């Protein structure tokens, strides 16, 4: 038995992939999210937890360029230098969102084309990326259906013929197939029953690790956060009240609200 | 001998906001150094803070004061102030924590749980499979269990899966919180051998063992936390 040797290139720090700088979003005088700053590095998985109405989805929508913040900036490393995503011309931003980002919606209907076959839902994203060879696209679609555990003989079925769990797995395949650098997920296992959730979580865990994708995951489930995320931000009333390594925040919470949140569950 | 870990002025008190903000002091000003090839056993009565200290060394708990310098490759990293991603990198390659409890991942098979840290370190999957199997066999876990998820296993079986996962590819610093707690004599023996093997290969061991006989076999030094007890 020999001991694990640390990498020698450890000193080289890669640059952050996404930078959130004092992002705030107001809805009139109602607070969506307030003054949220953090950096996300390539391959890192960040969880956002907090009670209903604390601003998790609002923040995620601002970070993903779906909503425009009232104040603050979101920078993304697109090419050599970070660019403010809201300064980009609309077509450039749309293209970047399609090819470098992925968004997994809580409701698979929001992320799938319900009138297009399962294979088409996956293959379409490869065509967006510039792939044109029909046979190769179909093979890649089949491969991805397999990875999310959808039987290849369902490739020509429409999503509406699938169960909720299958639709969610198909959405994940559609999002991950172009191998985005960053994925946003809002309650990805929300409406699913517990056994289906467990399969999906394991699938996400392995895919994110194997592809080295960075991800931001909103969830109200601390067990999901523990399983999938490296880092955690806890939100309350639109603000981040505590953040750190996921196991640290869950096992040794310092903020009163985080202590309440972690003591309210039996085990996470 | 090379210093692997240096704890400096570690203090911990818990502030329990949900319980009338009561403050719970545990220990104060703990200093110690652990060198390559040493096995330091943490000592002291139940509640003195042995597990708390071990968790601080791993970066799982945050100390109220102090630092934990860990030799990672050729440089020291302070686990207390390092960024989350750096702590995770140190854990991936230098620092392991083994408790008596396995954190079961839903639906993941025993063999995959044991392979997981090796895959994260970039070891070839077929080699990882072979080594995982050898280690599970060494810990007397019947082969028919390897493809099952351990959620239905007995406490002792789960514990052995956990030990296999950590000792199949040991790191330079191993933190052990009662890893032999509910094992029978034969399996306890295997674990003692695994710990000794890692230490003879240069690992620094910091552990908690309630069994006096196990303690005597493993320890090269003891650290009694009683002297560091913090006043309320
Ligand atoms: N389009 C909108 N118009 C007005 N107010 C909004 C809008 N979207 C969100 N809000 C308000 O912003 C606050 C944050 O809402 P958000 O949806 O971000 O919460 P959340 O943390 O995602 O909650 P949940 O866990 O229930 O999904 C809430 O008070 C909400 O009512
Ligand atoms: N996460 C936590 N939050 C609050 N208090 C904690 C936490 N973890 C430990 N403590 C408290 O810290 C003190 C030390 O506990 P610790 O588990 O470190 O003791 P120990 O020496 O390992 O005891 P044992 O031998 O019984 O395992 C105890 O009073 C315990 O209740
Ligand atoms: Mg929401
Ligand atoms: Mg203990």
């Amino acid at each position: 038995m020999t001991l694990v040797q640390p990498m020698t290139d450890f000193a080289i720090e890669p640059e952050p992939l996404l930078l959130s700088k004092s992002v705030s979003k107001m809805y009139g005088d109602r607070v969506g999210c307030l003054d949220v700053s953090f950096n996300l590095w390539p391959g890192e998985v960040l969880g956002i937890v907090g009670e209903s109405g604390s601003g998790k989805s609002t923040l995620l929508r601002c970070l993903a360029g779906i909503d425009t913040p009232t104040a603050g900036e979101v920078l993304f490393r697109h090419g050599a230098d970070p660019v403010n995503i809201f300064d980009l011309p609309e077509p450039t931003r749309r293209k970047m969102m399609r090819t470098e980002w992925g968004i997994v919606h809580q409701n698979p209907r929001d992320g799938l084309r319900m009138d297009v076959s399962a294979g088409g839902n996956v293959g379409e994203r490869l065509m967006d990326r510039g792939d044109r060879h029909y046979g190769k696209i179909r093979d890649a679609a089949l491969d991805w259906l397999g990875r999310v555990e959808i039987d290849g003989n369902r490739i020509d079925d429409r999503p509406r013929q699938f169960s909720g769990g299958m639709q969610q797995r198909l959405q994940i395949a559609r999002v991950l197939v172009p191998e985005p650098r960053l994925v946003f997920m809002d309650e990805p296992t929300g409406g699913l029953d517990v056994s289906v959730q467990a399969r999906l979580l394991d699938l996400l865990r392995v895919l994110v690790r194997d592809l080295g994708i960075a991800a931001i995951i909103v969830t109200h489930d601390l067990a999901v956060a523990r399983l999938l995320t490296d880092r955690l931000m806890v939100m309350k009333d639109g603000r981040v009240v505590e953040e750190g390594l996921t196991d640290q925040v869950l096992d040794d919470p310092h903020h009163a609200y985080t202590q309440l949140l972690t003591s309210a569950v039996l085990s996470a | 001998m090379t210093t692997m870990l240096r704890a400096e002025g570690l203090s911990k008190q818990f502030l329990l906001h949900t319980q009338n903000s009561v403050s719970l002091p545990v220990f104060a000003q703990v200093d110690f150094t652990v060198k390559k090839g040493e096995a330091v056993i943490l000592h002291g009565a139940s509640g003195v803070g042995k597990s708390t200290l071990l968790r601080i060394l791993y970066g799982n708990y945050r100390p109220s004061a102090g630092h934990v310098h860990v030799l990672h490759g050729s440089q020291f990293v302070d686990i207390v102030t390092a960024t989350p991603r750096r702590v995770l990198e140190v854990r991936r390659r230098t620092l392991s924590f083994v408790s008596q409890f396995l954190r079961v991942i839903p639906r993941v098979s025993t063999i995959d749980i044991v392979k997981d840290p090796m895959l994260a370190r970039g070891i070839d999957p077929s080699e990882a499979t072979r080594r995982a199997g050898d280690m599970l066999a060494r810990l007397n876990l019947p082969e028919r269990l390897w493809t099952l998820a351990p959620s239905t296993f007995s406490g002792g079986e789960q514990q052995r899966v956990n030990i296999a996962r950590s000792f199949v590819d040991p790191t330079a610093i191993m933190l052990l919180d009662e890893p032999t707690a509910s094992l029978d004599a034969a399996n306890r023996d295997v674990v003692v051998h695994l710990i000794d093997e890692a230490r003879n290969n240069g690992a620094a061991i910091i552990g908690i063992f309630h069994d006096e006989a196990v303690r005597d076999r493993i320890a090269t030094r003891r650290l009694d936390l009683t002297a560091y007890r913090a006043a309320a």
Side-chain angles (χ1 to χ4, degrees), chain A residues 209 242 247-248 252 259, chain B residues 12 17 59-60 62 116 201:
Chain A
R209 183 191 68 197
E242 184 160 5
D247 64 277
Q248 212 173 58
D252 186 12
Q259 290 189 357
Chain B
K12 180 65 177 176
H17 292 284
N60 175 233
R62 290 170 276 193
D116 200 55
N201 280 295

Side-chain angles (χ1 to χ4, degrees), chain A residues 1 3-6 10 13-14 41 44 149 199 202 209 226-227 230 242 247-248 251-252 254 259, chain B residues 12 15 17 59-60 62 73 85-86 88-89 91 93 105 107-108 116 169-170 194 197-198 201 203:
Chain A
M1 149 162 87
L3 303 178
V4 177
Q5 293 303 308
F10 177 67
E13 274 286 291
W41 277 267
E44 202 172 38
E149 302 176 5
R199 293 177 58 168
D202 182 43
R209 183 191 68 197
R226 164 114 45 196
L227 189 65
D230 302 323
E242 184 160 5
D247 64 277
Q248 212 173 58
D251 293 338
D252 186 12
H254 284 200
Q259 290 189 357
Chain B
K12 180 65 177 176
L15 188 58
H17 292 284
N60 175 233
R62 290 170 276 193
R85 40 196 302 280
R86 181 143 299 195
L88 290 175
E89 163 63 23
R91 286 181 183 177
R93 310 201 69 93
I105 307 171
R107 229 174 63 97
V108 180
D116 200 55
D169 195 33
L194 287 171
E197 257 174 59
N201 280 295

Side-chain angles (χ1 to χ4, degrees), chain B residues 3-207:
Chain B
T3 295
M4 296 304 297
L5 182 147
R6 198 172 72 246
E8 220 175 69
L10 288 178
S11 304
K12 180 65 177 176
Q13 66 175 50
F14 292 99
L15 188 58
L16 309 177
H17 292 284
T18 55
Q19 294 171 52
N20 302 316
S21 296
V22 66
S23 155
L24 190 75
V26 185
F27 48 70
Q29 292 296 324
V30 180
D31 293 299
F32 65 94
T33 308
V34 185
K35 293 182 163 34
K36 208 171 145 93
E38 277 197 303
V40 176
I41 307 299
L42 303 182
H43 219 55
S46 175
V48 77
K50 303 180 294 295
S51 298
T52 299
L53 177 60
L54 213 57
R55 284 167 177 264
I56 288 174
L57 301 181
Y58 192 58
N60 175 233
Y61 282 6
R62 290 170 276 193
S64 314
H67 300 277
V68 177
H69 304 283
V70 163
L71 185 64
H72 180 71
S74 57
Q75 66 192 94
F76 279 93
V77 175
D78 179 5
I79 291 295
V80 177
T81 55
T83 60
R85 40 196 302 280
R86 181 143 299 195
V87 174
L88 290 175
E89 163 63 23
V90 173
R91 286 181 183 177
R92 190 151 42 238
R93 310 201 69 93
T94 297
L95 193 60
S96 314
F97 188 97
V98 191
S99 79
Q100 78 187 85
F101 303 108
L102 174 69
R103 198 172 274 287
V104 179
I105 307 171
R107 229 174 63 97
V108 180
S109 72
T110 295
I111 190 106
D112 284 346
I113 289 175
V114 177
K115 280 161 64 178
D116 200 55
M118 289 188 280
L119 297 182
R121 290 169 192 143
I123 291 176
D124 175 68
S126 61
E127 187 195 332
T129 306
R130 180 184 56 73
R131 286 171 60 180
D134 289 350
M135 187 52 72
L136 287 167
R138 198 167 160 192
L139 284 156
N140 304 306
L141 224 84
E143 197 164 346
R144 66 187 154 76
L145 297 181
W146 297 1
T147 53
L148 304 178
S151 41
T152 57
F153 290 7
S154 75
E157 285 164 347
Q158 291 195 6
Q159 196 177 336
R160 279 178 281 152
V161 175
N162 207 23
I163 290 163
R165 173 183 163 89
S166 303
F167 279 94
V168 69
D169 195 33
T171 53
I173 303 171
M174 306 287 291
L175 309 173
L176 314 174
D177 194 345
E178 306 197 32
T180 57
S182 52
L183 297 181
D184 57 36
N187 283 309
R188 202 160 54 220
D189 237 40
V190 177
V191 177
V192 170
H193 278 121
L194 287 171
I195 296 170
D196 268 342
E197 257 174 59
R199 195 173 61 74
N200 288 330
N201 280 295
I205 312 277
I206 304 168

Side-chain angles (χ1 to χ4, degrees), chain A residues 36-38 46-50 56 59 63 216 231-235 240-244 246 249:
Chain A
V36 178
S37 296
F38 68 91
L46 172 72
I48 304 176
V49 297
K56 306 182 296 294
L59 174 62
L63 298 172
I216 303 181
R231 264 166 75 193
L232 206 56
M233 295 201 311
V234 182
M235 292 187 73
V240 175
V241 294
E242 184 160 5
E243 64 181 308
T246 298
V249 172

Side-chain angles (χ1 to χ4, degrees), chain A residues 142-162:
Chain A
L142 263 175
D143 174 49
W144 268 91
L145 291 179
R147 285 163 90 160
V148 299
E149 302 176 5
I150 294 174
D151 201 320
N153 64 25
R154 306 291 302 265
I155 190 166
D156 295 318
D157 290 357
R158 322 257 152 213
R160 63 180 84 263
Q161 293 163 274
F162 288 174

